[in-house]
Amino acid sequence: PCSGLLLLAKNREAYYDLQVQLATGKLVRDYVVLCHGSIPRRRCEISARVYVPPHQDSLSKVLPVGRPSCTRLRVMAHGVQSQQCVTLVAMRISTGRKHQIRLHSSHTGSPVVCDGRYSARR
């Protein structure tokens, strides 16, 4: 259900330029996500510490020992899919933790539609 962008540099100069953009927050990462439930329009940010276990197949978790992470969101539309409420959300991540959008969405009770790992809903 999810895909990510792979960003490659053609040479060392481009690589270091991308590193600087990422470190200074100039590299913008925006996503459009369909989530279960009706997310209130007033919700604009999810801040929760993300812990990524050392095992590759383990799920990331929201835990106090996790690394700080922030997902900003803007509700674009509400709708109904298969007789269930859904919300279309524009999300911007300022940190890039493993499965951050999926985990933050699930943590707030509105998991990503068709996410078999972080949602009990199908």
Side-chain angles (χ1 to χ4, degrees), residues 26-85:
K26 292 183 179 179
L27 187 64
V28 178
R29 293 169 285 178
D30 290 334
Y31 300 83
V32 177
V33 183
L34 186 63
C35 295
H36 286 285
S38 181
I39 299 172
R41 290 192 182 274
R42 68 183 176 278
R43 169 160 279 206
C44 59
E45 184 176 290
I46 303 168
S47 291
R49 291 180 164 269
V50 174
Y51 173 73
V52 179
H55 307 298
Q56 194 173 24
D57 291 339
S58 299
L59 297 178
S60 297
K61 297 174 183 165
V62 171
L63 293 174
V65 296
R67 295 176 68 190
S69 60
C70 180
T71 303
R72 298 192 188 286
L73 51 116
R74 181 172 51 88
V75 172
M76 299 172 66
H78 291 99
V80 177
Q81 177 187 20
S82 302
Q83 299 179 354
Q84 293 186 359
C85 292

Side-chain angles (χ1 to χ4, degrees), residues 93-112:
I93 58 173
S94 54
T95 52
R97 310 291 181 228
K98 181 180 179 184
H99 300 158
Q100 178 176 327
I101 289 175
R102 297 164 71 186
L103 180 61
H104 275 181
S105 298
S106 180
H107 177 68
T108 59
S110 298
V112 175

